[in-house]
């Protein structure tokens, strides 16, 4: 079986390592990534604040595992069995799409030209720019009241106490949290001197944000207005939603394409609809699951459907404060939260655990586990079985 995995992020990497471990040379695995580096995206707000992140090369992370690594940008996916990296063609029998997401810079006019983002290509430039702005008590506007906007605003305000930080959100902050969680969030942002405003952003211009009737000046603007999936997924003809996520069945197969699995941020489970927020906490389980399914398929076996239940949101609020909100099975937040130093410690432990899990996977140890709903869905009929029937 020839398996091509597109994307060397959390989902693609764990998938490649686990599949190599389970099939031990019986399956030809090619991992494709646009970048030769593993990008630990969950720490990019720390990089924006000036931290130097550990550099991990993908070649080193898959060395000796029998995985062929190809560094190149996927320019086209032909679901009939071919992937193009510019002029180069790669054929596949089974394809795993793990192309992740990126900040949506076209959601509002002017963002692409005038804002920084928490993407790998932008955080270094923001980190260079901020110290001088902070030294003259300049203004940073962070747009987006989701978890990335909150983490970004807190981290940058804590590192640069001179900065005047405003966090703009179109809705109420922390809608997914309990009252205790929201109260802690408000206290933390206020302690860090972050001004929170609810407003709809119309457009960005050089040095100002237009908000309907008024505008807000800035020296730097960080756009955290949501993620979309790389356009190449939509262009492949797979069915996608408004964020460009491929629609997948309970076995994470692209609808109508039994030989294409989609994992991580690039996938949205629609049959039956499942709540799977974009996150490395969902990306790693989907990658591990698909590796197991493909290993089973290579042995002519079917697999059980993917089952995931959101356990928690873990939010950093600078280096000394954090918030961990747990959820009940029905999706409602528990009343109490871990916060303050304990929250920061837990969040840091989770971030370390993510790269630790990948390192363990390379050593053949499968530590990636997740909470399940336990709902009953029919198991998969293996393709070979179907053909034989
Ligand atoms: C600042 C920040 C903080 C975050 N904090 C958390 C958190 O605390 N908890 C949490 O669960 N999630 C968090 N997230 C979200 C998390 O990072 C993503 O959900 C996660 O990275 C998704 O993993 P993935 O493997 O699907 O995709 P990615 O990690 O995005 O990997 C995608 C891979 O595809 C490659 N690629 C993309 N396009 C192409 C192409 N055309 N050709 C070839 N290769 C390509 C990329 O190079 C990369 O290797 C955070 C994100 C940010 C930005």
């Amino acid at each position: 079986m020839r398996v091509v995995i597109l994307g060397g992020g959390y989902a693609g990497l764990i998938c490649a390592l686990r599949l190599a471990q389970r099939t031990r040379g019986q399956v030809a695995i090619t991992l494709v990534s646009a970048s030769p580096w593993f990008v630990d995206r969950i720490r990019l707000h720390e990089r924006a604040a000036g931290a130097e992140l550990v550099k991990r090369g993908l070649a080193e992370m898959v060395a000796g595992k029998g995985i062929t690594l190809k560094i190149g940008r996927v320019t086209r996916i032909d679901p009939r069995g071919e992937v193009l990296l510019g002029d180069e063609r790669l054929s596949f029998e089974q394809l795993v799409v793990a192309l992740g997401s990126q900040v949506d810079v076209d959601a509002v006019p002017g963002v692409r030209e005038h804002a920084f983002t928490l993407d790998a290509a932008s955080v270094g430039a923001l980190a260079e720019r901020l110290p001088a702005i902070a030294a003259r008590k300049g203004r940073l506007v962070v747009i987006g009241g989701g978890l990335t906007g909150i983490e970004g605003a807190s981290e940058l305000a804590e590192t640069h106490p001179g900065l005047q930080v405003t966090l703009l959100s179109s809705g109420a902050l922390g809608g997914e949290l309990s009252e205790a969680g929201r109260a802690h969030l408000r206290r933390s942002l206020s302690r860090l001197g972050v001004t929170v405003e609810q407003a709809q952003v119309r457009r960005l211009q050089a040095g100002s944000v237009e908000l309907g009737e008024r505008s807000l000046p800035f020296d730097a603007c960080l756009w955290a207005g949501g993620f979309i999936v790389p356009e190449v997924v939509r262009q492949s003809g797979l069915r996608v939603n408004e964020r460009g996520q491929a629609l997948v069945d309970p076995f994470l197969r692209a609808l109508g394409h039994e030989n294409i699995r989609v994992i991580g941020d690039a996938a949205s489970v629609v049959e039956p609809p499942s709540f799977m927020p974009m996150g490395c906490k969902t990306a790693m389980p989907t990658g591990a699951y698909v590796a197991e399914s493909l290993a089973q398929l290579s042995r002519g076996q079917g697999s059980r459907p993917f089952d995931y239940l959101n356990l928690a949101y873990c939010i950093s609020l600078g280096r000394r404060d954090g918030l961990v909100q747990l959820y009940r099975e029905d999706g409602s937040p528990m009343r109490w939260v871990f916060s303050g130093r304990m929250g920061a410690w837990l969040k840091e432990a989770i971030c370390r655990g993510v790269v630790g899990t990948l390192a363990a996977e390379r050593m053949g140890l499968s530590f990636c586990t997740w909470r399940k709903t336990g709902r009953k869905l029919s198991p998969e009929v293996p393709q070979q079985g179907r053909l034989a029937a």
Side-chain angles (χ1 to χ4, degrees), residues 97-181:
V97 179
L99 292 173
S101 63
Q102 61 209 24
V103 177
D104 183 1
V105 288
D106 292 317
V108 163
V111 168
R112 188 178 274 276
E113 297 81 16
H114 304 297
F116 294 95
T117 63
L118 290 176
D119 281 323
S122 182
V123 282
L126 180 59
E128 266 180 35
R129 184 78 70 84
L130 284 179
I133 299 175
R136 57 181 151 87
K137 302 216 177 305
R139 186 191 285 266
L140 170 74
V141 174
V142 179
I143 306 174
L147 302 188
T148 8
I150 292 170
E151 289 197 330
S154 318
E155 194 81 29
L156 298 172
E158 184 189 79
T159 311
H160 301 289
L163 267 186
Q164 296 179 58
V165 182
T166 301
L167 176 58
L168 287 181
S169 173
S170 57
L173 273 199
E176 55 285 270
L177 302 175
S178 60
E179 185 42 48

Side-chain angles (χ1 to χ4, degrees), residues 43 45-53 127 155:
R43 289 198 189 267
H45 54 305
E46 296 174 44
R47 175 72 196 103
E52 286 302 330
L53 302 185
E155 194 81 29

Side-chain angles (χ1 to χ4, degrees), residues 1-5 12 15-16 18-20 22-23 26-30 93-97 251-253 258-263 286-304 380 383-384:
M1 196 160 92
R2 261 173 302 126
V3 178
V4 173
I5 301 171
C15 185
R18 176 78 64 101
L19 183 59
R22 292 289 185 266
T23 56
Q26 299 305 303
V27 166
I29 307 166
T30 303
E93 284 169 87
Q94 293 290 331
L95 182 70
V96 182
V97 179
F251 306 98
L252 308 187
R253 298 174 305 198
E258 297 222 333
N259 61 339
I260 302 183
R261 317 222 168 201
V262 191
I263 55 178
T286 56
Y289 165 83
V290 159
E292 299 288 355
S293 312
L294 289 174
Q296 284 158 340
L297 185 65
S298 74
R299 298 191 291 268
Q301 299 163 349
S303 49
R304 301 207 65 76
E380 181 185 33
Q383 269 177 326
Q384 289 92 327

Side-chain angles (χ1 to χ4, degrees), residues 89-316:
R89 289 166 188 273
L90 278 181
S91 64
F92 64 82
E93 284 169 87
Q94 293 290 331
L95 182 70
V96 182
V97 179
L99 292 173
S101 63
Q102 61 209 24
V103 177
D104 183 1
V105 288
D106 292 317
V108 163
V111 168
R112 188 178 274 276
E113 297 81 16
H114 304 297
F116 294 95
T117 63
L118 290 176
D119 281 323
S122 182
V123 282
L126 180 59
E128 266 180 35
R129 184 78 70 84
L130 284 179
I133 299 175
R136 57 181 151 87
K137 302 216 177 305
R139 186 191 285 266
L140 170 74
V141 174
V142 179
I143 306 174
L147 302 188
T148 8
I150 292 170
E151 289 197 330
S154 318
E155 194 81 29
L156 298 172
E158 184 189 79
T159 311
H160 301 289
L163 267 186
Q164 296 179 58
V165 182
T166 301
L167 176 58
L168 287 181
S169 173
S170 57
L173 273 199
E176 55 285 270
L177 302 175
S178 60
E179 185 42 48
R182 279 195 294 275
H184 184 76
L185 191 59
R186 284 193 296 270
R187 273 197 305 276
S188 300
L189 291 170
S190 147
R191 175 180 56 76
L192 291 164
V194 177
T195 308
V196 179
E197 282 189 41
Q198 200 167 328
Q200 200 71 39
V201 173
R202 302 256 178 267
R203 155 189 310 270
L204 256 68
Q205 291 180 339
S208 75
V209 187
E210 268 184 37
L211 308 167
E213 308 284 273
R214 66 194 172 101
S215 62
L216 196 64
F218 63 74
D219 298 290
C221 176
L222 174 62
W223 174 257
F227 296 121
I228 51 162
V229 172
E231 193 54 24
V232 69
V233 175
R234 182 192 302 275
Q235 288 163 350
S236 66
L238 300 184
R239 285 177 62 192
V240 297
N241 63 15
E242 68 290 349
R243 300 170 98 180
Q245 292 177 298
L247 308 184
V248 297
D249 69 14
F251 306 98
L252 308 187
R253 298 174 305 198
L255 297 188
H257 299 277
E258 297 222 333
N259 61 339
I260 302 183
R261 317 222 168 201
V262 191
I263 55 178
D265 283 2
S268 171
V269 184
V270 291
E271 285 183 2
S274 298
F275 176 60
M276 294 229 315
M278 281 184 172
C280 67
K281 64 182 179 177
T282 44
M284 304 239 308
T286 56
Y289 165 83
V290 159
E292 299 288 355
S293 312
L294 289 174
Q296 284 158 340
L297 185 65
S298 74
R299 298 191 291 268
Q301 299 163 349
S303 49
R304 301 207 65 76
F306 181 67
D307 189 8
Y308 176 89
L309 186 62
N310 187 42
L311 174 67
Y313 279 119
C314 310
I315 311 164
S316 68

Side-chain angles (χ1 to χ4, degrees), residues 7-11 33-34 41-42 72 74 99-100 148 264-265 279-281 347:
Y10 305 99
S33 172
R41 285 181 69 198
I42 61 175
V74 177
L99 292 173
T148 8
D265 283 2
C280 67
K281 64 182 179 177
K347 170 80 192 203

